[in-house]
């Protein structure tokens, strides 16, 4: 009986250090080399490498969001610019469609070619056409059936000068060249009271809402042109 008790105590004291050593090995950190890190199951904190990696990921995400925002704003700016460009092009085309380059008398007898704009009478889809044609025109002009005060081309001689220049039946006359005789007086005649000398000037005549007889007189006045130049006709075409 004494031998059995002695054997039990010996076994207990022998195994006790072994169990304690095993518990210590399971709970204490395992260091394999200097500078190595480990994570304790009871208490852990992020390593400097993990923190740096996290900051780098956040920075990359922020840069991506900024780049996406800049692309979005750039797209909005491009779209707004494109809309403005389309609107400007539309206005320019409309102005070009409703304008013509014609000779303008500058007052001193000289002429300069300038672009003149006309408010459309036949709608925004119409266009302005300017031609030169010699008299006689071979065209029948009349008062427009639906636009009061407007003059239209009612008929044409297919081989006449107006048709050859590009005038069409249904065109609305908007302007034409006209000649006017004025009296000019040199300085010495002004002193002695002279009557002056006649001078013929050519100018562009706006025929909109003018009496039909006045329009016909303006067209016919081109026969007085001392240079014998062709008549300028500006028409609006639907």
């Amino acid at each position: 009986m004494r031998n059995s008790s002695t054997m039990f105590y010996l076994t207990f004291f022998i195994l006790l250090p072994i169990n304690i050593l095993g518990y210590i090995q399971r709970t204490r950190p395992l260091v394999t080399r200097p500078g190595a890190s480990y994570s304790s199951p009871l208490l852990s904190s992020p390593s400097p490498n993990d923190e740096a990696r996290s900051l780098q990921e956040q920075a990359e995400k922020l840069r991506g969001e900024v780049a996406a925002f800049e692309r979005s704003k750039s797209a909005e700016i491009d779209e707004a610019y494109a809309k403005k460009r389309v609107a400007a092009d539309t206005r320019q085309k409309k102005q070009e469609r409703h304008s013509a380059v014609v000779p303008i008398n500058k007052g001193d007898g000289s002429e300069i070619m300038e672009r003149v704009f006309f408010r459309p009478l036949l709608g925004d889809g119409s266009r302005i056409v300017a031609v030169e044609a010699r008299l006689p025109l071979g065209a029948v002009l009349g008062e427009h059936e639906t636009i009061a005060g407007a003059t239209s081309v009612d008929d044409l001689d297919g081989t006449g000068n107006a048709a050859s220049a590009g005038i069409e039946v249904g065109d609305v006359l908007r302007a034409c060249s006209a000649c006017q005789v004025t009296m000019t007086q040199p300085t010495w005649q002004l002193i002695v009271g002279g009557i002056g000398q006649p001078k013929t000037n050519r100018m562009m005549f706006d025929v909109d809402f003018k009496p039909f007889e006045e329009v016909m007189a303006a067209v016919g006045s081109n026969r007085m042109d001392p240079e014998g130049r062709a008549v300028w006709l500006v028409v609006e075409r639907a």
Side-chain angles (χ1 to χ4, degrees):
M1 188 68 179
R2 191 171 185 178
N3 292 335
S4 299
S5 300
T6 303
M7 185 62 68
F8 170 78
Y9 287 118
L10 289 175
T11 303
F12 175 80
F13 286 110
I14 292 174
L15 294 178
L16 178 60
I18 297 175
N19 293 334
I20 293 176
L21 289 175
Y23 174 79
I24 294 174
Q25 289 177 353
R26 287 195 302 271
T27 57
R28 73 173 185 176
L30 179 61
V31 179
T32 57
R33 62 180 182 277
S37 61
Y38 88 103
S39 178
S40 171
L42 301 178
L43 181 63
S44 62
S45 60
S47 67
N49 292 337
D50 293 337
E51 292 181 355
R53 188 180 303 108
S54 177
L55 291 175
Q56 184 177 4
E57 291 175 353
Q58 293 178 11
E60 291 178 355
K61 181 180 179 181
L62 181 60
R63 283 195 296 268
E65 292 175 352
V66 171
F69 176 77
E70 291 179 348
R71 287 194 299 268
S72 175
K73 296 300 293 183
S74 177
E76 292 179 1
I77 294 173
D78 292 343
E79 183 179 359
Y81 176 78
K83 289 181 179 180
K84 291 182 179 180
R85 185 62 181 270
V86 170
D89 291 344
T90 301
R91 288 194 299 269
Q92 182 178 358
K93 290 179 180 178
K94 182 179 179 180
Q95 290 177 349
E96 292 177 352
R97 192 169 61 249
H98 294 144
S99 65
V101 178
V102 295
I104 301 298
N105 191 304
K106 304 308 291 184
D108 58 357
S110 63
E111 289 184 346
I112 183 171
M113 301 299 292
E114 291 185 357
R115 182 172 292 276
V116 179
F117 298 90
F118 296 85
R119 182 177 62 84
L121 297 178
L122 301 178
D124 290 340
S126 64
R127 61 191 180 95
I128 296 296
V129 179
V131 301
E132 289 182 278
R134 294 198 169 275
L135 295 175
L137 295 176
V140 177
L141 302 180
E143 298 180 55
H144 199 279
E145 295 181 356
T146 59
I147 304 176
T151 301
S152 59
V153 179
D154 295 340
D155 198 6
L156 281 173
D157 178 357
T159 60
N161 292 328
S164 299
I167 297 297
E168 298 179 1
V169 173
D171 288 346
V172 175
L173 186 65
R174 301 298 305 273
C176 68
S177 58
C179 293
Q180 184 180 35
V181 178
T182 58
M183 300 301 293
T184 59
Q185 290 181 324
T187 304
W188 64 271
Q189 285 188 342
L190 292 174
I191 296 175
V192 299
I195 60 174
Q197 299 177 346
K199 180 180 180 180
T200 302
N201 294 317
R202 190 177 78 156
M203 65 197 72
M204 290 302 298
F205 179 72
D206 180 8
V207 308
D208 287 350
F209 312 112
K210 299 295 194 305
F212 181 69
E213 294 76 12
E214 188 175 343
V215 174
M216 294 301 293
V219 175
S221 69
N222 286 274
R223 293 187 178 92
M224 297 187 301
D225 187 359
E227 300 181 27
R229 290 168 291 185
V231 183
W232 273 93
L233 299 172
V234 180
V235 300
E236 182 178 351
R237 184 169 299 161

